[in-house]
């Protein structure tokens, strides 16, 4: 790690807010994840989906367009403001908040969680909290669907924070059963071969 570029405090909303305010949002492709489009039609239709770290709501809007109640959470005010401005469906909901302190009324209330570039955006020390928080939000037998980067090389300037699949296993295995994993047929241009989709079921 270059000492001139200390790790930014990624658990501080001000870091992310500054990125949205300055327009340094290279992760935001302005369109839903192609892998989400591919897989959502193959699953039993969920009634209610949580999208943690939803950014400007590309995936939430897509789910809502399928008449699925989709709740996006992000702690960057500018991201949520943009998401709300772009919203056009009553199925689309946004909450300005921290995924590590979600409201009690959300507990056990989601059929599905869609993870897309949130896990790699949080500090590694918070991964256990992330998995616990997602577990708490799902109803019994709820599904966790995520697209994860396969790149295991560490970066001098996260995000994204890198991880290995066995690192994911270590965190998810006590709480979730891996139902399936596959390389997506569709992805954003430039991410070919870089991602894997994993489908987990909540353990009781
Ligand atoms: C790399 S961006 C991805 C955004 C979106 N998923 C996308 O693909 O466009 C990560 C997002 O996670 C949000 N985030 C990071 N930590 C968070 C936390 N603890 N609670 C809520 N949002 C968080 C950031 O504000 C940012 O919008």
């Amino acid at each position: 790690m270059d000492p001139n570029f200390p790790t930014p405090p990624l658990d501080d909303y001000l870091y992310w807010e500054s990125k949205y305010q300055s327009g340094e949002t290279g992760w935001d492709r302005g369109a839903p994840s192609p892998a989400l489009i591919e897989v959502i039609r193959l699953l039993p239709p969920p009634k209610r989906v949580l999208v943690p770290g939803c950014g400007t709501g590309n995936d939430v809007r897509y789910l809502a367009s399928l008449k699925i109640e989709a709740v996006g959470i992000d702690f960057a005010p500018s991201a949520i403001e943009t998401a709300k401005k772009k919203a056009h469906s009553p199925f689309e909901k946004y909450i300005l908040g921290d995924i590590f302190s979600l409201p009690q009324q959300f507990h056990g209330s989601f059929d599905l969680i869609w993870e897309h570039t949130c896990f790699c955006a949080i500090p590694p020390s918070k991964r256990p909290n992330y998995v616990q928080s997602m577990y708490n939000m799902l109803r019994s037998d709820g599904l966790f669907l995520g697209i994860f980067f396969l790149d295991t090389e560490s970066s001098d300037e996260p995000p994204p924070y890198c991880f290995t699949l066995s690192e994911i296993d270590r965190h998810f295995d006590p709480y979730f059963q891996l139902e399936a994993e596959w390389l997506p047929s569709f992805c954003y241009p430039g991410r070919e071969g870089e991602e894997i989709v994993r489908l987990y079921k909540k353990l009781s």
Side-chain angles (χ1 to χ4, degrees), residues 10 16 20 27-28 52-56 58-59 73-76 79 97-100 116-118 121-122:
L10 296 184
W16 292 99
Y20 284 104
W27 60 82
D28 188 333
C54 66
T56 60
N58 297 314
D59 294 338
I73 303 218
D74 205 291
F75 65 1
D98 191 328
I99 57 167
F100 299 114
H116 172 203
T117 56
C118 184
I122 58 167

Side-chain angles (χ1 to χ4, degrees), residues 138-181:
L138 284 172
R139 66 159 169 79
S140 157
D141 286 340
L143 296 174
F144 178 100
L145 176 67
I147 184 155
F148 296 99
F149 284 117
L150 279 168
D151 180 16
T152 57
E153 283 175 32
S154 60
S155 152
D156 284 344
E157 289 182 67
Y161 275 111
C162 294
F163 46 81
T164 59
L165 290 182
S166 52
E167 166 82 354
I168 302 180
D169 292 341
R170 191 163 68 80
H171 292 296
F172 278 76
D173 283 359
Y175 301 97
F176 292 91
Q177 175 164 320
L178 182 61
E179 300 275 293
E181 66 176 345

Side-chain angles (χ1 to χ4, degrees), residues 1-164:
M1 179 73 63
D2 185 336
N4 296 317
F5 293 99
T7 305
L10 296 184
D11 47 354
D12 184 345
Y13 80 92
L14 289 171
Y15 167 79
W16 292 99
E17 175 61 12
S18 70
K19 293 285 175 194
Y20 284 104
Q21 285 195 12
S22 61
E24 293 170 78
T25 52
W27 60 82
D28 188 333
R29 304 297 180 97
S33 163
L36 174 64
I37 296 172
E38 181 184 21
V39 73
I40 196 70
R41 290 163 202 277
L42 306 175
L43 294 178
K47 285 204 189 87
R48 194 161 190 245
V49 181
L50 175 68
V51 183
C54 66
T56 60
N58 297 314
D59 294 338
V60 177
R61 258 189 311 288
Y62 176 69
L63 290 163
S65 75
L66 303 178
K67 301 202 183 328
I68 296 167
E69 183 183 344
V71 180
I73 303 218
D74 205 291
F75 65 1
S78 293
I80 291 295
E81 198 183 316
T82 302
K84 284 183 173 171
K85 272 190 197 143
K86 290 184 169 183
H88 47 61
S89 160
F91 290 90
E92 200 174 349
K93 300 196 167 57
Y94 296 100
I95 300 203
L96 178 62
D98 191 328
I99 57 167
F100 299 114
S101 50
L102 292 168
Q104 187 65 34
Q105 78 261 24
F106 278 10
H107 284 217
S109 73
F110 293 94
D111 308 297
L112 178 72
I113 289 173
W114 166 245
E115 151 64 43
H116 172 203
T117 56
C118 184
F119 186 77
C120 66
I122 58 167
S125 62
K126 289 211 160 173
R127 287 175 184 165
N129 311 60
Y130 173 91
V131 175
Q132 184 73 62
S133 185
M134 296 304 110
Y135 180 88
N136 291 342
M137 295 307 126
L138 284 172
R139 66 159 169 79
S140 157
D141 286 340
L143 296 174
F144 178 100
L145 176 67
I147 184 155
F148 296 99
F149 284 117
L150 279 168
D151 180 16
T152 57
E153 283 175 32
S154 60
S155 152
D156 284 344
E157 289 182 67
Y161 275 111
C162 294
F163 46 81
T164 59

